[in-house]
């Protein structure tokens, strides 16, 4: 279990919006990337960053939708430095092309994109789609942008990565002996949950490896937001969500409220140069045991999502899966 410490708090809570978090900030000269920013909370994340004067790149699979979003954000914020760049997180060549196109420093990387599926889908590599998209794609992207982030940290004194997790992480650790459901029966909820635990573990290990470069990563739970992610839910998934809502596990937030905790991790001074945390409702979440009931601890984070040993193992496994050499940028210092 992580060493007990005083939890980091802020003045923000469940009702805060992304615009509340950035109010009064001047981030002119700051460069940010938001993945999956053509819909849902990604749009509001990018919009609030644009309000500060930051240069924001929408990394999206559908560039036509992204272009419309960028135009809307530019019009609503008066910031013309909103760009669109193609990125498909399950296509290694697309990730490589994106990172190759990027030039200059990067100060904020928000790994926001995600998928939920109702049936087993495999990538061309044979990977389970939710793990491949939600974790491996963002893992490869972050590795590819490491030097840009390090340059941003040298320029500004810090660079931050925000990894979007979920309360769903409480339903499954990363099952290292069968990550891709090659032997166990496929459960889409368990697969999604595993990927969300991986998102948190990434933040733990990225911080351990890259903090010396001025780069820290934190995981966030945006809370319950009705977005396109739910469109392919099975009846079982819909029933589970309804039961969670009825029991008070969560109250639906607006997209602006859902983006608030992301912005806390990205720009709030309380999280400057400190990482490996899991945030919920604008502050660091309390840790609960792995046997804790989700419905009773919906604002907590399970030990398995912060376990440094699991985080190191996940990093090693992920490097092997994507075929990335353990270079200086990825090896622990």
């Amino acid at each position: 279990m992580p060493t007990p410490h005083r939890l980091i708090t802020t003045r923000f809570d469940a009702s805060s919006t992304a615009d509340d978090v950035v109010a009064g900030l001047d981030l002119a000269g700051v460069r940010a990337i938001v993945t999956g920013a053509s819909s849902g909370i990604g749009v509001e994340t990018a919009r609030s960053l644009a309000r500060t004067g930051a240069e924001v790149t929408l990394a999206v699979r559908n560039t036509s939708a992204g272009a419309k979003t960028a135009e809307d954000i530019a019009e609503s914020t008066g910031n013309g430095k909103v760009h669109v760049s193609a990125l498909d997180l399950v296509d290694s060549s697309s990730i490589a092309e994106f990172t190759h196109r990027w030039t200059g420093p990067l100060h904020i990387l928000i790994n926001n994109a995600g998928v939920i599926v109702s049936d087993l889908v495999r990538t061309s590599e044979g990977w389970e789609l939710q793990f491949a998209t939600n974790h491996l794609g963002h893992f490869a992207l972050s590795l590819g942008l490491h030097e840009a982030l390090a340059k941003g940290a040298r320029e500004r004194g810090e660079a931050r990565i925000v990894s979007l997790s979920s309360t769903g992480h409480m339903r499954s650790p990363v099952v290292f002996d069968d990550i891709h459901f090659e032997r166990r029966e496929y459960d889409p909820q368990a697969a999604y949950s595993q990927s969300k635990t991986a998102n948190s573990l990434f933040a733990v290990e990225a911080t351990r490896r890259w903090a010396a470069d001025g780069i820290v990563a934190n995981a966030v739970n945006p809370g319950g937001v009705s977005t396109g992610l739910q469109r392919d839910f099975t009846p079982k998934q819909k029933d589970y969500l309804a039961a969670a809502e009825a029991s008070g596990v969560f109250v639906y937030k607006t997209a602006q409220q859902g983006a608030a905790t992301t912005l806390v991790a990205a720009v709030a001074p309380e999280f400057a140069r400190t990482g490996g945390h899991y945030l919920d409702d604008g502050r660091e979440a309390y840790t609960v045991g792995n046997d804790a009931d989700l419905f009773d601890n919906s604002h907590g984070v399970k030990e398995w999502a912060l376990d440094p040993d699991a985080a190191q193992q996940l990093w090693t496994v992920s490097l092997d899966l994507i075929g990335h050499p353990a270079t200086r940028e990825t090896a622990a210092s």
Side-chain angles (χ1 to χ4, degrees):
M1 182 173 179
T3 302
H5 68 279
R6 186 184 297 275
L7 297 178
I8 301 171
T9 62
T10 71
R11 61 189 177 87
F12 304 108
D13 57 26
S15 65
S16 300
T17 66
D19 282 347
D20 292 336
V21 177
V22 303
L25 291 182
D26 180 357
L27 297 184
V30 169
R31 305 179 77 204
I33 293 172
V34 184
T35 68
S38 61
S39 63
I41 63 176
V43 175
E44 298 308 316
T45 300
R47 190 189 312 278
S48 291
L49 283 170
R51 290 196 196 282
T52 70
E55 179 182 346
V56 184
T57 295
L58 315 183
V60 297
R61 185 171 56 181
N62 185 335
T63 54
S64 295
K68 292 179 182 177
T69 299
E71 182 179 359
D72 174 65
I73 291 174
E75 289 180 355
S76 64
T77 64
N79 184 345
K81 294 175 293 189
V82 183
H83 316 296
V84 178
S85 188
L87 175 67
D88 185 342
L89 289 166
V90 295
D91 184 342
S92 59
S93 62
S94 175
I95 296 170
E97 289 168 7
F98 181 95
T99 58
H100 180 73
R101 287 194 303 270
W102 186 268
T103 58
L106 174 62
H107 306 99
I108 300 171
L109 171 60
I110 299 179
N111 291 330
N112 167 84
V115 297
I116 297 176
V117 299
S118 57
D119 296 302
L120 176 60
V121 180
R122 296 195 183 278
T123 67
S124 59
E125 297 87 353
W127 303 335
E128 190 277 323
L129 183 65
Q130 294 182 95
F131 188 84
T133 305
N134 300 344
H135 168 64
L136 288 174
H138 282 126
F139 178 77
L141 176 68
S142 300
L143 289 180
L145 292 170
H146 172 269
E147 283 303 317
L149 287 161
K151 185 173 183 179
R154 291 192 296 270
E155 178 183 274
R156 190 168 178 251
E158 65 163 346
R160 304 192 201 184
I161 302 173
V162 183
S163 181
L164 266 72
S165 185
S166 164
T167 301
H169 85 272
M170 302 185 81
R171 299 190 69 248
S172 177
V174 175
V175 181
F176 287 105
D177 62 356
D178 192 16
I179 287 176
H180 298 294
F181 291 84
E182 294 168 321
R183 293 178 298 279
R184 52 181 170 147
E185 182 179 356
Y186 187 67
D187 179 342
Q189 286 181 293
Y192 176 75
S193 298
Q194 172 182 247
S195 74
K196 295 292 101 178
T197 293
N199 292 149
S200 181
L201 291 175
F202 165 77
V204 172
E205 185 65 3
T207 297
R208 189 183 76 85
R209 290 174 179 251
W210 294 348
D213 298 321
I215 306 165
V216 297
N218 285 298
V220 304
N221 170 29
V225 183
S226 182
T227 69
L229 276 178
Q230 292 89 19
R231 63 179 172 268
D232 294 323
F233 272 16
T234 64
K236 179 182 177 181
Q237 288 170 307
K238 292 177 181 177
D239 290 344
Y240 182 83
L241 192 64
E245 183 184 9
S247 67
V249 169
F250 70 90
V251 175
Y252 273 110
K253 296 181 178 182
T254 66
Q256 260 282 318
Q257 289 172 327
T261 301
T262 295
L263 269 297
V264 168
V267 304
E270 291 87 350
F271 289 93
R273 291 175 290 281
T274 183
H277 309 295
Y278 176 100
L279 284 64
D280 178 274
D281 284 348
R283 60 196 61 201
E284 184 180 7
Y286 58 91
T287 304
V288 299
N290 291 335
D291 59 351
D293 181 72
L294 184 156
F295 283 16
D296 293 333
N297 298 277
S298 59
H299 297 287
V301 54
K302 285 199 172 181
E303 293 173 2
W304 63 42
L306 297 176
D307 181 350
D309 293 332
Q312 290 185 51
Q313 183 177 1
L314 177 65
W315 195 281
T316 300
V317 168
S318 300
L319 284 176
D320 182 61
L321 285 169
I322 67 172
H324 195 290
T327 61
R328 182 187 64 80
E329 291 79 8
T330 58
S333 58

